[in-house]
Amino acid sequence: NKRKMVAVDNIMSFNYYRDFLSGLALLNVEMFFETKSNLLEWQIAAFAKAGIKHFQPGLEGLSTRILRIMRKGVRRHQNIETLKWCQTYNVSPLWFYLYQFPGDRPEDYLDDASLMQRLVHLPPPKGLNPVTIDRFSPLYADTTGFGLGELRPVRECMVAYSGLPEKLVARLVYHFESDTIGSPTSTYLPALSMALSGWKQAYTQKVFLFSIVGDTTTLIIDGRRPNDVCRAYLMSGRAHILYRAMHTAVSFTSLQNHAVEPIVETDMSIRDFAITMAAVRVNAQFIEEPDGPAQVMGFLARLDSLQITICCDDNLWLGL
């Protein structure tokens, strides 16, 4: 049995990915870390190699606008990429979706609720939590900038420290509350709760979306709809090149540039032949490749309609 250990640092040092984790892989221990959310694929792969199966990234949301209100320093595509790498390398992220921020808008959360339907094959948040004002957080440090009223210890803390003056309790506790909150939760929370419930239910049923990649072909198998038949899509040539470019988020301009790159004609490899035969067996739909830059948007619209990509902020495209 592995000895289980928990790191007390809230955020793991970046240097650990290159040195500490390689040494940890030699020990029979199971470590738990908290990390930032904008992790790269090689970092999640390093977790998996070191035997780290559970960790807590600071994801906390999917809307870039809300993430900016949080001052997280990340955007939607980075958080989704982190979830994608976790699923790829079988690492389980512990995260919670936060809501009710000062300055938020119902449409930010409703957009996330719609997005969740595409992400059911990725690890869902454990639950929905209203934001708390923690000591040292941006909300605590800049109450005026966020338009918050006077902070006070949360009610539970006043019970725990019953008998002490509130001002003294405020010097001791970590969690605070304020009368000023975000937009009315009734305008978005029911839809958000329903979307998250559907995400969690689908994920527990082991739905999936994966690709089999060859030298010039990509076969995508979509099993995200419980109790429904799988759907499959085959791409080759420039379609294959463009989808592989969306392994991480990439700009539309960059995809147009990929569309003009010359394709060197080669004999079909054994792997590509096997993928093509597999595509026939699963009755895969063939996705036409764009002839040039002018047809890239139509190609992307086709992938978007199949919900195997997302278009994020600043016209960044990410394959799911």
Side-chain angles (χ1 to χ4, degrees):
N1 294 329
K2 286 189 175 183
R3 177 179 297 176
K4 296 184 178 180
M5 304 177 69
V6 177
V8 296
D9 289 343
N10 278 347
I11 298 177
M12 191 179 81
S13 169
F14 182 82
N15 294 330
Y16 278 29
Y17 292 101
R18 297 195 180 277
D19 48 34
F20 178 76
L21 291 184
S22 60
L24 185 64
L26 304 176
L27 304 177
N28 189 36
V29 297
E30 182 177 317
M31 290 287 293
F32 180 88
F33 288 99
E34 294 185 33
T35 73
K36 291 182 177 293
S37 63
N38 55 331
L39 299 181
L40 303 177
E41 182 176 7
W42 71 267
Q43 293 172 311
I44 301 295
F47 270 169
K49 187 175 181 180
I52 297 174
K53 295 297 183 182
H54 305 275
F55 77 114
Q56 184 169 350
L59 294 170
E60 299 179 348
L62 298 171
S63 164
T64 294
R65 185 176 181 275
I66 299 298
L67 291 168
R68 284 173 177 161
I69 291 176
M70 295 187 207
R71 301 181 184 176
K72 298 289 288 185
V74 297
R75 292 185 287 172
R76 166 182 280 181
H77 72 272
Q78 293 170 293
N79 281 1
I80 296 176
E81 283 182 3
T82 295
L83 294 175
K84 181 179 173 180
W85 311 143
C86 287
Q87 184 66 21
T88 300
Y89 294 97
N90 195 28
V91 177
S92 178
L94 172 65
W95 70 289
F96 298 86
Y97 186 104
L98 303 185
Y99 64 93
Q100 202 172 26
F101 286 88
D104 62 8
R105 303 177 308 191
E107 54 263 37
D108 298 320
Y109 303 109
L110 293 174
D111 182 52
D112 279 357
S114 177
L115 171 67
M116 288 177 182
Q117 300 174 24
R118 301 190 183 204
L119 306 181
V120 293
H121 62 297
L122 303 180
K126 298 301 180 183
L128 300 173
N129 291 352
V131 65
T132 58
I133 305 170
D134 296 337
R135 190 182 295 274
F136 311 121
S137 70
L139 290 174
Y140 176 88
D142 188 14
T143 55
T144 302
F146 283 101
L148 295 172
E150 184 178 355
L151 301 185
R152 60 182 179 273
V154 297
R155 190 171 306 150
E156 293 81 1
C157 291
M158 293 306 300
V159 173
Y161 291 96
S162 179
L164 294 180
E166 183 174 314
K167 288 187 176 181
L168 178 56
V169 176
R171 295 172 57 188
L172 298 172
V173 302
Y174 190 73
H175 302 297
F176 297 84
E177 61 187 11
S178 171
D179 290 330
T180 307
I181 58 174
S183 56
T185 58
S186 60
T187 59
Y188 62 83
L189 191 55
L192 192 60
S193 298
M194 183 178 297
L196 177 57
S197 177
W199 186 355
K200 294 173 72 173
Q201 182 178 5
Y203 191 75
T204 58
Q205 292 179 292
K206 300 187 183 302
V207 299
F208 55 86
L209 175 69
F210 65 87
S211 60
I212 305 172
V213 183
D215 300 315
T216 61
T217 57
T218 295
L219 175 62
I220 296 177
I221 309 293
D222 185 357
R224 288 175 294 177
R225 300 161 186 83
N227 306 318
D228 195 3
V229 296
C230 295
R231 306 178 187 185
Y233 312 101
L234 181 67
M235 290 178 273
S236 63
R238 284 198 174 90
H240 159 82
I241 292 172
L242 291 177
Y243 198 81
R244 294 311 300 159
M246 290 184 277
H247 184 63
T248 56
V250 62
S251 70
F252 176 70
T253 301
S254 179
L255 291 172
Q256 284 186 310
N257 293 335
H258 280 295
V260 298
E261 294 176 0
I263 297 179
V264 179
E265 296 293 337
T266 59
D267 293 334
M268 179 179 288
S269 68
I270 295 176
R271 180 170 178 80
D272 285 321
F273 179 77
I275 291 173
T276 303
M277 292 298 98
V280 173
R281 289 195 297 272
V282 297
N283 195 28
Q285 298 180 35
F286 185 73
I287 307 298
E288 293 287 344
E289 63 178 317
D291 289 336
Q295 294 188 5
V296 169
M297 182 51 73
F299 169 75
L300 294 175
R302 171 65 170 147
L303 300 186
D304 182 66
S305 69
L306 299 174
Q307 299 191 353
I308 57 178
T309 60
I310 56 169
C311 180
C312 298
D313 317 278
D314 302 325
N315 214 4
L316 294 174
W317 289 81
L318 174 66
L320 295 175

